[in-house]
Amino acid sequence: PLVVMLPDEREACAERDPLKRPFFGDLHVHTALSFDAVTFDVRVRPADVYTFAKGGTLGLPPYDAAGAATRTVTLSRPLDFAAVTDHSEFLAEAPLCWTPGTEAYDSSTCVGYRAGMHEIGDFGPITSVFVTVPPLRAPLCRADPELCARALGDSWGEIMDAAESAYDRTSDCSFTSFVGYEWTGAPAGSNIHRNVIFRSRT
């Protein structure tokens, strides 16, 4: 395969040190785009993660009848770097099934998924295809591949755009964001989790 590395354009950091320095961050964060997190009423999006990592306040469930968070959290010290690493598996299905009004929201797959016993890892029809060998797409994506391809593109685009927006490319070098995802191989139910972090968006 041909690997093309494009330059990651940014200003040189004003404060540079040839010796190693410790930086603190988080390279494993899920949002409402992850099939498991959304079942526990996680509603944050990738941009919210970076706002929080840089010192902003984040709303937490449970939510009131108006959809407002009943709890909030703020870091005592902002992070130096972060990456949203949502599950690559079901990156299309999760938003399709949990966003009212989508073309798939009322499908049997989505209804069963939302009704699953999430506390024990039962995500309805999603669970069964997750452990097949080889793994399969959920029924709604096998039935309408183009719908899922569009949803996947939307989710991945949102993740990349949020990382780019949060990345400080000025000479201040105050925050670094990485584009990434979590890959979970689960043949016959045995999990192999890997966070994949890209050097740059391209």
Side-chain angles (χ1 to χ4, degrees):
L2 176 64
V3 177
V4 178
M5 295 295 295
L6 299 177
D8 189 20
E9 297 180 2
R10 58 161 305 129
E11 293 183 40
C13 296
E15 185 180 346
R16 300 173 67 86
D17 190 334
L19 302 178
K20 293 181 178 180
R21 297 173 55 190
F23 292 96
F24 300 90
D26 191 344
L27 296 178
H28 187 52
V29 184
H30 288 334
T31 74
L33 296 176
S34 279
F35 76 95
D36 49 0
V38 70
T39 65
F40 293 99
D41 209 15
V42 170
R43 300 184 187 181
V44 299
R45 308 297 289 204
D48 301 321
V49 169
Y50 293 119
T51 297
F52 173 70
K54 295 165 78 170
T57 299
L58 189 68
L60 298 175
Y63 296 86
D64 63 22
T70 58
R71 302 179 297 156
T72 59
V73 62
T74 306
L75 292 172
S76 59
R77 178 194 183 281
L79 301 179
D80 300 308
F81 63 88
V84 169
T85 51
D86 279 311
H87 285 284
S88 59
E89 296 77 19
F90 314 121
L91 194 55
E93 292 88 330
L96 283 172
C97 286
W98 287 86
T99 306
T102 68
E103 296 174 60
Y105 186 81
D106 293 322
S107 68
S108 58
T109 298
C110 290
V111 171
Y113 171 23
R114 293 193 301 272
M117 298 177 64
H118 313 121
E119 297 80 3
I120 62 171
D122 176 10
F123 301 101
I126 298 289
T127 304
S128 60
V129 299
F130 195 47
V131 299
T132 57
V133 181
L136 298 171
R137 294 301 301 271
L140 71 93
C141 290
R142 295 200 303 271
D144 194 344
E146 290 185 8
L147 171 64
C148 288
R150 290 194 302 271
L152 178 61
D154 290 344
S155 294
W156 186 237
E158 182 178 349
I159 290 170
M160 291 193 297
D161 289 345
E164 179 60 33
S165 180
Y167 191 0
D168 181 6
R169 294 183 180 275
T170 72
S171 60
D172 291 339
C173 298
S174 62
F175 186 80
T176 299
S177 53
F178 296 95
V179 174
Y181 64 89
E182 180 181 359
W183 175 82
T184 303
S190 60
N191 288 337
I192 304 172
H193 300 274
R194 297 289 185 272
N195 283 330
V196 179
I197 308 294
F198 292 92
R199 178 177 175 177
S200 66
R201 173 176 177 147
T202 49

